[in-house]
Amino acid sequence: MMLATGVALSGCADDEGAETPAPVSAAPSSGAAEPSTTEEPEPGPEDTWADVEDPATMKVPLKSVDGVEGVRVWEGSRFRVNPSAVIVAVPSADRSSFQTLTLGSETLSPPASSEEAVRYWARSSGLVEGRAEVLDPVVVDGLELQHARGRNGVEVVDGYLYADGAIAYRVIFTTPLDYTEAQRDEAIGQVMATLEFE
């Protein structure tokens, strides 16, 4: 028995030096495949803006935003820091309109369904006239954020929201109404590609 086991583990060679396969065990099989311990864990979802070619380059101080490690914004931006948020603005080339970003966090925020979170944000932000449209969620630095879009008289408002019961993040962009979808996607993607959570 011990010899057979040794041969099964090591295999054997014939006269030509070629290895012959180890004998197959005759033990009955339960039919269920045993889980492999060598498989790598499945990767998380890919970041929505992982392939942005021209990310923003201007670093913003984030000491007041809990749970956010870093973000870069558009060159030429101006910003101010509130107790729980950073508000950034950059004028358009003709200075007739602005792109803005508001990035904030709240601790111990109650969890909510994605639609409830979006509806509450739209009502309470004061930025959106009428109802916000719930869009597909996005992934930023490994976190899935809910996405809503609304409008007011002068701008389009994109809100990205995350809450897990311990902390909530809100990332809000406003862009001019006359932006094309490509311009809007580029402006948002340049910043979102740099956003890092702790």
Side-chain angles (χ1 to χ4, degrees):
M1 185 61 128
M2 190 173 276
L3 179 58
T5 304
V7 171
L9 293 176
S10 64
C12 59
D14 64 15
D15 294 338
E16 307 297 324
E19 259 189 17
T20 56
V24 177
S25 169
S29 171
S30 66
E34 292 185 22
S36 170
T37 57
T38 58
E39 287 183 16
E40 293 183 16
E42 288 188 23
E46 183 177 351
D47 279 11
T48 303
W49 289 279
D51 58 354
V52 167
E53 293 180 9
D54 190 21
T57 57
M58 183 175 170
K59 191 170 183 177
V60 174
L62 287 171
K63 292 178 184 172
S64 67
V65 183
D66 291 339
V68 180
E69 189 170 311
V71 69
R72 294 179 185 271
V73 295
W74 315 282
E75 283 299 322
S77 295
R78 299 187 302 271
F79 56 84
R80 72 177 190 265
V81 179
N82 285 348
S84 63
V86 172
I87 300 168
V88 179
V90 60
S92 60
D94 64 1
R95 299 198 176 264
S96 64
S97 57
F98 285 77
Q99 298 172 170
T100 67
L101 159 72
T102 302
L103 172 62
S105 66
E106 298 172 17
T107 55
L108 302 175
S109 175
S113 75
S114 59
E115 194 142 340
E116 285 173 356
V118 165
R119 300 291 180 219
Y120 175 78
W121 164 76
R123 285 192 312 270
S124 64
S125 70
L127 298 172
V128 176
E129 294 174 358
R131 292 174 64 92
E133 177 185 8
V134 180
L135 303 175
D136 291 336
V138 300
V139 177
V140 178
D141 197 28
L143 288 185
E144 183 176 278
L145 282 70
Q146 302 307 316
H147 180 198
R149 175 173 288 170
R151 288 174 168 73
N152 57 42
V154 294
E155 57 204 359
V156 172
V157 183
D158 282 275
Y160 299 90
L161 313 166
Y162 171 85
D164 65 5
I167 195 163
Y169 300 112
R170 62 190 184 282
V171 186
I172 302 168
F173 292 89
T174 66
T175 49
L177 284 173
D178 61 0
Y179 265 25
T180 64
E181 278 303 301
Q183 287 174 306
R184 186 166 290 111
D185 290 345
E186 181 182 12
I188 292 172
Q190 285 174 332
V191 172
M192 291 293 243
T194 72
L195 182 56
E196 297 177 9
F197 298 103
E198 290 176 356

